[in-house]
Amino acid sequence: AQSVTQLDSQVPVFEEAPVELRCNYSSSVSVYLFWYVQYPNQGLQLLLKYLSGSTLVKGINGFEAEFNKSQTSFHLRKPSVHISDTAEYFCAVRPADSNYQLIWGAGTKLIIKP
Amino acid sequence: GAGVSQSPRYKVAKRGQDVALRCDPISGHVSLFWYQQALGQGPEFLTYFQNEAQLDKSGLPSDRFFAERPEGSVSTLKIQRTQQEDSAVYLCASSSMSGGETQYFGPGTRLLVL
């Protein structure tokens, strides 16, 4: 079985400061990794994904994430946040032996302070 | 083009009432998914369709939950004899491939059972 842990339910950060949202997973099989963002009153939108290859993945809106197999982590980073980044961020994994099943973390609310 | 749409956006039901939630996927998308998202949690998988075939319904919490996609496009999630624990946001997603790496989400239907 797989599980995803997002330790921080909320992360407050000042505008233009860097941010890291943490994601750790547990799995007995290889996984693919995803970050989704949910803006207020909108649906979930894919930010980035890791399937294979380079462990540093770049996504939309200046976000990037690094897959660390030994740490079983896939932390999301942005060097300088904007007020428009206020949203909830979800990490998800898909077991390599499934072509659709996504297992989700509980989400992290990013709060941008002016 | 148009994204995934869901209706109604909000539904208040009395306990014991039947409800039907509709999902219009992106045109031509083969795969369709339903998720349940409780307050403060990540989405939980309910069921998966490939065209009109329901390939996985392992996440449906009880036999009060029923989903269909008779013509391989629009899908309906029906909940019979609603209970308070059914209160949640119900998310629909679609993808262009069988299974599909990138799932495109609708805005969700927020169901409140009183």
Side-chain angles (χ1 to χ4, degrees), chain B residues 44-109:
Chain B
E44 295 272 351
F45 171 81
L46 293 178
T47 187
Y48 161 54
F49 289 87
Q50 185 175 318
N51 295 308
E52 68 279 4
Q54 188 175 21
L55 298 188
D56 187 343
K57 56 181 181 179
S58 62
L60 296 177
S62 77
D63 58 8
R64 296 185 295 104
F65 286 70
F66 172 76
E68 60 183 4
R69 194 187 185 197
E71 297 178 358
S73 56
V74 171
S75 177
T76 304
L77 176 67
K78 297 179 179 177
I79 309 173
Q80 297 177 323
R81 304 181 303 282
T82 53
Q83 304 294 316
Q84 284 186 323
E85 62 262 28
D86 300 335
S87 296
V89 176
Y90 291 85
L91 300 170
C92 176
S94 69
S95 69
S96 59
M97 296 167 57
S98 298
E101 295 159 0
T102 301
Q103 297 181 19
Y104 296 86
F105 283 79
T109 294

Side-chain angles (χ1 to χ4, degrees), chain A residues 38 41-44, chain B residues 4-10 22 34 89-92 105-111:
Chain A
Q38 189 172 34
N41 297 315
Q42 294 187 29
L44 289 154
Chain B
V4 178
S5 61
Q6 293 185 244
S7 61
R9 291 292 310 275
Y10 303 92
R22 177 187 169 105
W34 283 99
V89 176
Y90 291 85
L91 300 170
C92 176
F105 283 79
T109 294
R110 186 176 297 275
L111 173 65

Side-chain angles (χ1 to χ4, degrees), chain A residues 78-94:
Chain A
K78 186 169 182 178
S80 175
V81 297
H82 301 111
I83 196 77
S84 59
D85 294 322
T86 299
E88 188 153 21
Y89 293 79
F90 291 89
C91 180
V93 302
R94 179 161 69 85

Side-chain angles (χ1 to χ4, degrees), chain A residues 42-53:
Chain A
Q42 294 187 29
L44 289 154
Q45 179 183 356
L46 182 68
L47 263 182
L48 49 80
K49 60 186 177 185
Y50 172 79
L51 304 179
S52 64

